[in-house]
Each structure stands twice: as C-alpha cells, then as structure tokens.
Amino acid sequence: IQSPHSGAHRLEVYNLQGQLVRRYQWESAGGLQQIPLTKADLAGAGVYTYQLWLGERRQSGKFIVVGEKSMFIFLEPQD
C-alpha cells in the first residue's frame, strides 16, 4: 500500500456474508506499507471485501484468493 498520509491506518477484511474476518491497525509516517496478509489469516479461498482507512481517507474494494499458492487478485477499488 502506498500512502501519502501519516497517522492511524486500518484495514478490515470481510467475507461475503459481511462478517469481519481480519482487522489490522497501525501507525504510519506515510510511504510504502506492507501488510502481512496470508491465506491462513482468512477463511480460505474465496471472494472478500475490504475497507482501508489511510488517515481520514477511506477506500473499499474486493479481492479474490485462489489456489494453493494463495494468489490474491485485487479488483478495482469501489471508492
């Protein structure tokens, strides 16, 4: 994640039933951020939605987890 914003950041991942699967929160000075999200952190392969807050800015979207190698395919953000 490339963030031009400093401050509190948060990523929430939901399954298609709207249940929160994983939440990450961290403080950042901005710049390139890596989030250690793996298939083991989720409920396996499938489609997930996310809400990402970078400072006061919010972005949401969907991604797909496929295959044994835990390949993540991010779809276009919705906001």
Side-chain angles (χ1 to χ4, degrees), residues 10 14 26 35 38 43-44 50 53 66 72 75 77:
R10 184 172 78 229
Y14 298 88
W26 69 98
I35 300 170
T38 67
Y50 67 89
W53 285 266
V66 295
F72 289 77
L75 306 175

Side-chain angles (χ1 to χ4, degrees), residues 13-17 44-49 62-66 75:
V13 178
Y14 298 88
N15 62 24
L16 289 182
Q17 289 75 41
V47 179
Y48 295 88
T49 63
K62 293 181 182 178
F63 66 95
I64 303 169
V65 179
V66 295
L75 306 175

Side-chain angles (χ1 to χ4, degrees), residues 19-47:
Q19 299 166 316
L20 180 66
V21 175
R22 192 79 168 144
R23 175 183 288 139
Y24 295 92
Q25 293 181 266
W26 69 98
E27 292 288 324
S28 171
L32 184 62
Q33 307 292 309
Q34 292 185 10
I35 300 170
L37 182 65
T38 67
K39 187 171 151 183
D41 294 325
L42 305 173
V47 179

